[in-house]
Amino acid sequence: MNLTAQTEADQNLSLPTNYSPLQLEAEMREFWIKNDIRNKLELLEKNAKGFLGYVEGPPTLNGIPHIGHARGRIMKDIRYRWKTMEGYYMPFWAGWDCQGLPVELEVEKLLGVRNKRESIEKFGMERFIEECKKAIMRYHKMWLDADSRLGIAINQDKAYWTYKDSYIEREWFYLKRAWDQNLLEEGHYVVAYCPGCQTSLSSAEVGYEGSYKEVEDPSVYFKFKVTGTEKEFFLVWTTMPFTIITDTMLAVQPKAEYVKVKVGEETWIMMRQRVEPVMAELEIKNFQITESMMGKSLEGTAYDYPLKDIIPKQAELETKHPLVHKVIAEDFVDVETATGVVHLSPGNGEDDFWAANRRGVPIFVPFDDEVKFTNDAGIFTGVFARDADMLVVEELRNHNAFVKVKKIKHEYPTCWRSHHKLVWLARKEYFLRTDKINSNVLEAAEKIEYFFDEPKNRFLGFLKEGKPWCISRERIWGTPLPMWTCEKCGNKRLIASKKELVESAQEAFPENFELHKPWVDRITLKCGKCSGTMRREDFVLDTWHNSGASPYARFTDEEFEKFVPTTFLTEGIDQTRGWANSLLLEYVILTGKPVAPYKAFLFQGLTQDAKGRKMSKSLGNVVETSKLLEKSSADLCRFYMMRKCSPVDFMSFDMQELTRRPYQVLSTLYHLSRFFLQNATFDEFDPKKYTLNWALKAGKLQAADLWLMSKLQNKIEEFTKNLDRCEFNTAVAILDDFVIETLSRLYVPMIRKELWTDEPETFERRQTIYALLHHTLKTVTLLFNPITPFLSEALYQKIYRQLETDLPETVNLATWPTPNEKMRNKPLEDDFDILLKVVSISYAARQQGKLKRRWPLAKTIVVAPEKTLQALKCLESLLLEQTNVKAVEYSTSVPDYVGGENWVSNQQDEITVFLSGQRDDKLLGEGIMRDLARRVQALRKEMGFVPTETLESVHIAELDVESIGLLEPYLEEMASLVRARKVYLHSSCSEVEAKWHESELDGKKIRINIH
Ligand SMILES: [Zn+2]
Ligand SMILES: [Zn+2]
């Protein structure tokens, strides 16, 4: 699938000495733009090995992109880059959620108006719509900036916008499908209504994270007198006294036992098992149960509604239906709370509504749009519902219906936008009867891959509720409900496209027309039944319906066939009730089948601040993506966020942590790559000639090389597997470990010395090492690309494309590495594990004996089982080198002569390592030499010498006479170790005129000069 290079590699790209991610990222961003890389990736569609459908979960354009958004976007980007390198084509195209209440509220604030009515009166709807568009464009700019900084490869040119006519038309098609299947209904239903936003909310919105708040409400016990008695009452309880205004019935549990309780002069009727707790709460000690009956037998009992004189409409209701102000039996009556006698307000409660609806009892809803009582509520006219609570209590008192009132604190749902207490109201709304297709929805949901159980259970649990979806909103900036109703006969017609609307309009179609209020409201149709005028229903659609339409609405028919169902989507866990839900419901309606528009959905955990607190404007702890990335590296941020925890976990984002482990890993990869490049360039390494295959075939690979290759194959396999399972943290940890432990701490130190000669007889060995490093580091660079695209592109351009100019133009077009089975060598890896364990035991022993690692020792004895010793014998030269001893003895039991003060030892499991601590002049001299060599190395690095550069001379001064004597025999070896022509020793620095650098050796001050 590789496209061959279209352009020559840029020879000016060079790799600076230090890893400065910010600078490097700016350079790569420019490289991508200059070479139009993103658009070139679209060309893959022509010869892809497969299509992976994708539709962007559109961010709402009414907030500044923050680090929580970034986390999800990184996961999407990982999938895209990885799958692209595997040869798949994915329409990774942006999308923006543009409409809805949040945008309206912001514009209201901007215009300085308090509500919808005021904004229309003062500014007119056209201006309002204009302002909404301007508002989203301001945020769009910020999102583009954040995406660019973060390295999100999403195609911004092909973005969809949920407010555009072309999108809205296709969204309408879903409604047509619903209408045709009798799933779109108008009706009075009880909906959650926000008095602040003046619109109803969907049941999904009511359940949003953080919408339940602790509020204080009155807890009221009151009594309704049984009709025809003097002193017999039903005892009732409520926390919403205002609903007594709309009371129409009482309900009892038919299967529970009820009793009459004598309290003073009165008799109260309530459920038997609630007598003790309720009396305790009312602090009534003297009471007596006088009679018992089943709930069923109370059915039909009439009661005197006490407020008829001040709410005349209530008296009128009794004449409308025989069940008004009677007791009914209902299974939903809870036997665990209150008195077991429930008052029903069908205009203000869902269960209440259905109980009345089934019996044909009229629904009493005396409220206006601000949830203030209308004239029908008698003396309560004009009072806001929740403000009526205490007035009602007062009136109960006046009408001998009051028992007791207390304040209680409880969790109560508030509006997720404005935090007003929600009120349940029966209103005329439009519903998608998703309850009718719930079995299809659940069947579809069961087939989806969720990767983790917790979000899966949460999502399925929510879907099981299967409530009808209220899709109508009484707002402005949204997709208009395309339903026209005849003024005369009530006939309804659903319009499914702009074309259909143009053809059916009674009046000449205006020129500047768009599918929004107010334009669409100006179009009337002629009724097909009675020739009357049809007007549009004054609703817009729930914004979740708007974004949930994206799989069909964002594509053309042809693209829709190709890319939907999509293969993988990911959004925050809060989208179980949001986009994931609306996508699924709408797609089941669209297709009429139990299928979801996505095969897999990863719900991400939310991101919190460093202390684990929710990020919020009020706490001032929101980390904005663009601001963060002005000063911090995108690669570090991406690496960190993926490495820190599982994608489903709540993540505490701590900026301090970016520069720790993430920096260590990426900078190590950078410097290893640079180390390879410098040495390879010095030796004129040609990757086309000295390939890994060449080394393999010629049998040039040594034990350490073969071990590295075997490890690499495992890492490729494990990394890819973990990406596939969305275990991003585990995946990144695998690369982290490979770079730091395997490559940097183990392999490179094993071969480093071999690269420091330029002897012709070791030329092929050096080329072998280059071939190996080239292969390994390039593979790691490719694997890193989904995680750290800037660093990968930089290394790819500045190293691999310099060495092989015909490579594909960008790292994103390179082929994803796959494990080479022939390179796997499990027994060798096991042997190495033993070796590394012995080395670590040996280090522990040195630490006990205060013997520095750099000091060569004469002898080590390894005591271990035979099998372990066999493994070590195969790797003996590495063992000697790694433990820095001259000889090793193997034994299955501790030899007699070992012990005493000349030996140190350490043991782990079945392995014991002894080290001879005795050092003669030779060992002491070599030890000092190695100590000094290390200091010279550090100085070389500090002064910016490249590793391949040979120093003219090294001078060391202020050494004592004894050290000088010990060192003399090792000067040549030292010169070759530090890559210098000659090393000179001086007892005093005054012997030579030079720029001296201070250093120390075993606590004594010395001076070094190199040049
Ligand atoms: Zn609200
Ligand atoms: Zn009509």
Side-chain angles (χ1 to χ4, degrees), residues 621-648:
N621 59 352
V622 179
V623 181
E624 291 175 15
T625 309
S626 289
K627 272 196 190 148
L628 173 78
L629 297 182
E630 269 169 26
K631 297 205 175 92
S632 305
S633 143
D635 277 341
L636 288 181
C637 183
R638 293 172 64 118
F639 181 101
Y640 167 68
M641 292 195 97
M642 294 303 105
R643 174 81 170 85
K644 169 127 186 185
C645 60
S646 162
V648 284

Side-chain angles (χ1 to χ4, degrees), residues 775-840:
H775 176 80
T776 307
L777 288 166
K778 186 177 164 196
T779 301
V780 171
T781 300
L782 299 187
L783 293 177
F784 256 111
N785 184 44
I787 313 292
T788 58
F790 295 99
L791 177 59
S792 286
E793 187 75 278
L795 296 176
Y796 180 82
Q797 297 300 338
K798 295 176 179 217
I799 299 178
Y800 305 105
R801 257 188 113 216
Q802 302 294 323
L803 291 170
E804 285 176 272
T805 48
D806 55 351
L807 287 181
E809 194 183 351
T810 164
V811 65
N812 297 294
L813 289 171
T815 306
W816 189 253
T818 49
N820 179 345
E821 295 307 319
K822 283 187 208 139
M823 294 270 199
R824 289 195 203 254
N825 192 338
K826 179 77 171 85
L828 182 64
E829 283 193 50
D830 292 344
D831 288 356
F832 259 80
D833 286 344
I834 293 170
L835 168 70
L836 298 174
K837 189 167 174 181
V838 168
V839 170
S840 117

Side-chain angles (χ1 to χ4, degrees), residues 38 42 45 54-57 80 89-95 153-160 554-556 559 563:
R38 184 55 187 90
E42 291 294 334
E45 190 174 2
Y54 178 81
V55 63
E56 165 73 343
Y80 172 68
Y89 175 77
M90 190 194 287
F92 191 46
W93 304 341
I154 200 156
N155 190 333
Q156 305 284 5
D157 298 338
K158 302 198 80 154
Y160 70 92
R554 80 97 58 235
F555 290 124
T556 63
E559 288 165 345
F563 299 134

Side-chain angles (χ1 to χ4, degrees), residues 862-908:
V862 183
V863 181
E866 192 53 45
K867 240 184 102 191
T868 308
L869 297 179
Q870 280 308 322
L872 291 172
K873 281 174 195 167
C874 298
L875 302 169
E876 185 169 298
S877 60
L878 279 169
L879 175 64
L880 294 176
E881 200 182 293
Q882 292 293 307
T883 56
N884 197 13
V885 294
K886 301 292 178 197
V888 56
E889 188 181 315
Y890 307 98
S891 176
T892 49
S893 61
V894 181
D896 296 337
Y897 62 86
V898 172
E901 58 186 36
N902 286 334
W903 293 89
V904 293
S905 73
N906 194 282
Q907 186 196 354
Q908 227 188 78

Side-chain angles (χ1 to χ4, degrees), residues 335-616:
V335 298
E336 304 293 339
T337 55
T339 66
V341 182
V342 178
H343 103 86
L344 300 182
S345 293
N348 293 107
E350 211 178 338
D351 288 335
D352 319 37
F353 175 86
W354 288 111
N357 192 272
R358 275 197 298 278
R359 294 171 172 85
V361 173
I363 314 292
F364 182 39
V365 208
F367 299 100
D368 68 10
D369 283 354
E370 289 169 48
V371 202
K372 287 180 182 160
F373 285 103
T374 60
N375 288 336
D376 281 350
I379 68 157
F380 298 102
T381 304
V383 180
F384 169 57
R386 295 298 327 226
D387 292 343
D389 281 340
M390 290 323 285
L391 299 175
V392 170
V393 170
E394 223 20 67
E395 288 303 332
L396 290 173
R397 225 189 274 271
N398 296 341
H399 289 78
N400 186 32
F402 175 76
V403 177
K404 187 174 178 126
V405 64
K406 279 203 309 196
K407 290 276 173 200
I408 58 158
K409 281 190 176 155
H410 62 160
E411 295 277 305
Y412 188 84
T414 61
C415 171
W416 62 282
R417 284 302 314 176
S418 66
H419 294 296
H420 284 85
K421 277 194 218 171
L422 297 179
V423 180
W424 269 257
L425 279 183
R427 289 183 72 86
K428 191 189 95 169
E429 301 283 356
Y430 276 81
F431 280 79
L432 283 176
R433 291 298 303 275
T434 42
D435 51 324
K436 287 191 189 167
I437 52 163
N438 197 234
S439 62
N440 269 1
V441 170
L442 288 174
E443 192 184 331
E446 288 285 352
K447 289 184 259 186
I448 298 162
E449 162 74 69
Y450 298 94
F451 305 100
F452 300 92
D453 283 340
E454 196 273 325
K456 173 184 178 177
N457 296 336
R458 186 162 161 178
F459 188 46
L460 293 182
F462 168 68
L463 291 174
K464 275 188 191 125
E465 291 175 18
K467 292 190 178 168
W469 179 7
C470 172
I471 54 162
S472 47
R473 296 287 182 276
E474 289 132 277
R475 301 295 315 186
I476 301 167
W477 179 232
T479 300
L481 177 76
M483 184 68 78
W484 273 256
T485 307
C486 175
E487 283 176 337
K488 261 163 85 184
C489 75
N491 179 29
K492 286 186 184 302
R493 177 162 173 203
L494 186 125
I495 297 289
S497 72
K498 196 169 173 177
K499 187 168 166 271
E500 193 185 340
L501 189 59
V502 172
E503 285 168 4
S504 317
Q506 290 203 92
E507 46 282 287
F509 214 74
E511 251 178 43
N512 293 320
F513 179 87
E514 60 177 280
L515 292 184
H516 273 113
K517 284 169 79 57
W519 300 280
V520 72
D521 292 330
R522 293 175 188 149
I523 306 298
T524 63
L525 315 178
K526 194 169 167 189
C527 176
K529 286 193 178 155
C530 74
S531 300
T533 295
M534 302 181 92
R535 292 191 190 281
R536 198 184 71 84
E537 295 281 341
D538 192 16
F539 288 112
V540 297
L541 295 176
D542 180 0
T543 175
W544 292 109
H545 188 277
N546 190 215
S547 57
S550 53
Y552 180 74
R554 80 97 58 235
F555 290 124
T556 63
D557 285 345
E558 191 192 327
E559 288 165 345
F560 175 71
E561 284 303 312
K562 202 148 100 184
F563 299 134
V564 183
T566 61
T567 43
F568 172 85
L569 302 180
T570 177
E571 295 298 330
I573 184 75
D574 47 342
Q575 299 299 328
T576 44
R577 288 169 171 274
W579 196 56
N581 173 45
S582 61
L583 277 182
L584 176 59
L585 297 179
E586 288 179 54
Y587 195 71
V588 171
I589 291 171
L590 182 77
T591 59
K593 290 180 195 147
V595 263
Y598 43 86
K599 291 180 184 141
F601 205 110
L602 169 68
F603 291 104
Q604 314 136 15
L606 303 181
T607 306
Q608 305 161 317
D609 74 3
K611 290 177 191 149
R613 295 174 306 178
K614 200 178 166 181
M615 290 196 188
S616 73

Side-chain angles (χ1 to χ4, degrees), residues 5-21:
Q6 303 290 314
T7 58
E8 281 291 294
D10 188 344
Q11 297 296 327
N12 295 323
L13 294 169
S14 70
L15 210 54
T17 316
N18 294 316
Y19 173 49
S20 326

Side-chain angles (χ1 to χ4, degrees), residues 107-328:
V107 169
E108 282 178 9
K109 214 158 112 192
L110 201 95
L111 294 175
V113 295
R114 278 170 312 166
N115 56 38
K116 184 173 64 176
R117 193 191 306 142
E118 217 179 295
S119 65
I120 297 169
E121 279 167 8
K122 275 195 175 163
F123 298 96
M125 232 182 253
E126 280 96 338
R127 168 82 194 279
F128 189 78
I129 296 272
E130 204 48 48
E131 291 298 330
C132 287
K133 285 182 195 164
K134 276 193 210 155
I136 59 170
M137 290 318 288
R138 283 193 288 273
Y139 288 108
H140 180 241
K141 247 190 193 160
M142 299 183 202
W143 277 87
L144 289 188
D145 181 66
D147 274 356
S148 155
R149 287 179 190 273
L150 203 52
I152 305 299
I154 200 156
N155 190 333
Q156 305 284 5
D157 298 338
K158 302 198 80 154
Y160 70 92
W161 301 76
T162 59
Y163 79 93
K164 298 236 161 130
D165 281 6
S166 54
Y167 184 96
I168 285 177
E169 270 191 307
R170 291 179 77 88
E171 181 184 1
W172 280 359
F173 186 68
Y174 283 88
L175 294 176
K176 183 176 161 52
R177 291 285 300 136
W179 185 239
D180 292 347
Q181 296 169 80
N182 291 323
L183 294 173
L184 177 60
E185 281 180 12
E186 177 205 34
H188 277 85
Y189 289 95
V190 172
V191 290
Y193 189 86
C194 172
C197 305
Q198 293 180 18
T199 186
S200 43
L201 275 71
S202 71
S203 53
E205 286 171 301
V206 176
Y208 277 171
E209 200 91 36
S211 62
Y212 276 77
K213 294 252 179 295
E214 192 178 75
V215 300
E216 202 179 63
D217 272 322
S219 157
V220 184
Y221 283 92
F222 60 98
K223 56 194 183 184
F224 282 168
K225 195 165 75 179
V226 178
T227 305
T229 69
E230 275 307 311
K231 295 193 174 339
E232 223 172 271
F233 296 87
F234 285 103
L235 185 65
V236 197
W237 174 81
T238 184
T239 54
M240 290 188 284
F242 81 89
T243 61
I244 294 172
I245 296 170
T246 55
D247 172 87
T248 37
M249 290 181 286
L250 290 178
V252 293
Q253 168 60 252
K255 296 185 212 74
E257 188 188 354
Y258 284 74
V259 290
K260 290 185 178 172
V261 187
K262 193 137 174 39
V263 180
E265 293 294 298
E266 296 180 350
T267 302
W268 294 350
I269 301 171
M270 65 188 298
M271 195 183 281
R272 166 159 244 155
Q273 72 178 77
R274 297 299 305 159
V275 174
E276 295 285 339
V278 168
M279 289 304 154
E281 218 189 311
L282 294 175
E283 293 170 73
I284 294 171
K285 294 200 178 70
N286 294 319
F287 60 90
Q288 200 190 346
I289 294 175
T290 57
E291 208 178 303
S292 151
M293 68 220 83
M294 288 309 283
K296 183 89 180 117
S297 69
L298 292 168
E299 211 178 347
T301 310
Y303 60 93
D304 291 348
Y305 178 77
L307 308 181
K308 274 189 272 193
D309 59 329
I310 54 173
I311 312 170
K313 191 79 183 172
Q314 278 282 13
E316 198 185 315
L317 283 177
E318 287 181 5
T319 66
K320 295 257 165 82
H321 197 279
L323 281 179
V324 172
H325 302 147
K326 296 261 171 69
V327 174
I328 61 168

